[in-house]
Amino acid sequence: MTVGTGRVDSRLARTALRALGSPACGSGHRLCDQVKGVNFEAVLRVEEDEANPKQNLTKREAEGDLGLSMLIDSQNNRYILTKPRDATIPRADHHFLKDIVTIGMLSLPCGWLCTTIGLPTMFGYIICGVLLGPSGLNSIKSVVQVETLGEVGVFFTLFLVGLEFSPERLRKVWKIAFQGPCYMTLLMIAFGLFWGHLLQIRPTQSVFVSTCLSLSSTPLVSRFLMGSARGEKEGDADYGAVLLGMLVVQDVQLGLFIAGMPTLIQAGAGSHSSVVMETLRILALVGQILFSLAAACLLCLVVKTYLIGPYYRKLHVEGKGNKEILILGISAFIFLMLMVTELLDVSMELGCFLAGALISSQGHMVTEEVVAYIEPIRDFLVIIFFASIGLHVFPTFVVYELTVLMVLTLSVVIMKFALAALVLSLLLPKSWQYVKWIVAAGLAQVSELSFVLGSRARRAGIISREVYLLILSVTTLSLLLAPVLWRAVLTRCVPRPERRSSL
């Protein structure tokens, strides 16, 4: 069925599709019985009339009509052309271009406003997505394409997180940095399973939500630490090193958890008729993940020893006076590592993190040069990513459930603060005890990367739409509370010589 004007009423579309999907159109069903693995379904094709496309349109409508064919199925899902039969004719997805331009234009005032009132700019980008999404103007047409481009921003973000992985600086506090996040994650999962059992929530969903809430925001804490005076002498309490070390380990945990998400999916989807068989199946899946991670680590060792040094020196020589070569070379290395980890059946995000860690092994000067070239690309793509998150945020949900969300957010912040202080009191030396309160305040929020985990889990069916909205809302509110808690703890706990610069 073809509609020539390029515009179609949704009620008319649903009526037409119900008619086409009725028993009177039974030939498609008979074909489905003959061809296995193929579903035949009546769809509505919306395109402009090729014979006389602008005859009945006003000038304003004609200028707004981008002339793209679109398919709408019986569930109101919309599809657009990805590969034309005639490849000699150049085509462009003008809806997608218009969406990117709109997001770029609106994100500037939204980010500017958040910066003016002292909030992280990512809130402005999320607000931009809310305003342009279904709960606002509903002007974004290519939602899937926007989200896909935003995922590339996640790749570059994790690459830059990997660049911050500095074994030299973290060597002094490596035991605390490694043990602290592990203990905190295990305690959060234990609490999650306990409350999940009381509330009759599936264990897979409880584990996922607890792991999401256990992560803390590396970019936000890094901004807190910018310009602060931290001890550099032997024996000084470098709370910045402790914080960054624990956050880096949490970022590694993020990559490992994304790699283990298929295990959660399969663990939740299987039958539970035999406890022994179910346990063996889960152990086999965990063993497969550990084998893949060991293979990835072995590959990183080989690359670090024999390849990364000559490769970067070659890029540096070829890139003198031509920074495009260096940018392309670094991007190609990131994409190579994510493809390798994907082939090893672990996450692409972990490959991006490992790529950054390998580049950082070449020294501080190399890291600064790469950051200077890659960070602007990351910044633009991250705008698209957070705007795509805003497309799925519904302010009405936050308004209706504001009391519940505030109680949940305060509970999460207090629990993370208490758990961090408890764990650090057992790990830190007695002379560093005041540091535990500062580090606990830095960790007492939920990372914006929980948006990444939440979107993955929502698509995989691990969590429901309501739980996904709860994670988004609690994460946002906890990040809003984080600066207040940080300043309050610094005022009370930091020694006087360090207090002014830290604030």
Side-chain angles (χ1 to χ4, degrees), residues 114-252:
C114 287
T115 303
T116 303
I117 61 179
L119 294 177
T121 53
M122 68 175 185
F123 291 119
Y125 308 146
I126 294 175
I127 293 172
C128 171
V130 172
L131 294 176
L132 297 176
S135 59
L137 300 175
N138 197 23
S139 63
I140 301 297
K141 306 300 180 184
S142 303
V143 176
V144 175
Q145 287 82 351
V146 170
E147 291 178 346
T148 303
L149 184 60
E151 291 297 313
V152 184
V154 176
F155 295 156
F156 281 97
T157 298
L158 290 176
F159 169 73
L160 291 178
V161 169
L163 284 177
E164 298 174 2
F165 189 80
S166 175
E168 289 75 16
R169 186 183 178 190
L170 301 179
R171 188 174 293 126
K172 185 174 65 173
V173 295
W174 72 271
K175 289 185 178 179
I176 302 170
F178 178 76
Q179 296 178 12
C182 294
Y183 292 153
M184 288 183 61
T185 302
L186 291 176
L187 289 173
M188 288 289 290
I189 292 176
F191 275 104
L193 289 173
F194 172 74
W195 285 106
H197 177 72
L198 293 180
L199 300 175
Q200 296 181 348
I201 301 174
R202 290 179 302 165
T204 53
Q205 188 164 297
S206 300
V207 170
F208 174 81
V209 173
S210 302
T211 307
C212 266
L213 299 181
S214 68
L215 300 175
S216 301
S217 174
T218 301
L220 187 64
V221 176
S222 300
R223 187 168 298 180
F224 289 162
L225 295 175
M226 288 175 62
S228 62
R230 297 180 297 276
E232 299 293 340
K233 298 178 182 180
E234 186 68 26
D236 283 352
D238 189 356
Y239 62 84
V242 175
L243 253 178
L244 289 179
M246 296 182 70
L247 289 169
V248 166
V249 174
Q250 284 192 351
D251 292 330
V252 175

Side-chain angles (χ1 to χ4, degrees), residues 285-339:
L285 292 172
V286 173
Q288 179 183 352
I289 292 175
L290 293 177
F291 176 78
S292 299
L293 292 175
C297 292
L298 180 61
L299 175 65
C300 289
L301 182 62
V302 173
V303 171
K304 179 183 177 181
T305 306
Y306 299 105
L307 299 178
I308 189 63
Y311 177 74
Y312 186 81
R313 285 193 293 270
K314 179 68 173 177
L315 282 179
H316 189 75
V317 171
E318 296 293 336
K320 285 186 177 180
N322 187 10
K323 66 179 183 180
E324 290 85 359
I325 295 296
L326 185 60
I327 294 174
L328 183 60
I330 296 298
S331 301
F333 181 65
I334 298 172
F335 299 148
L336 174 65
M337 289 300 297
L338 70 87
M339 288 179 63

Side-chain angles (χ1 to χ4, degrees), residues 54 104 108 176 195 242 244 262 288 308 345 396 403 438 479 501:
K54 311 297 182 186
L108 175 61
I176 302 170
W195 285 106
V242 175
L244 289 179
Q288 179 183 352
I308 189 63
D345 204 20
T396 53
T403 304
I438 305 173
L479 291 172
S501 59

Side-chain angles (χ1 to χ4, degrees), residues 45-74:
R45 179 175 178 177
V46 182
E47 64 179 3
E48 75 175 63
D49 192 347
E50 296 180 359
N52 198 357
K54 311 297 182 186
Q55 182 177 4
N56 296 321
L57 301 179
T58 64
K59 180 179 179 181
R60 181 178 178 183
E61 289 174 334
E63 291 174 349
D65 191 350
L66 299 178
L68 287 177
S69 297
M70 183 180 295
L71 301 181
I72 306 176
D73 66 8
S74 58

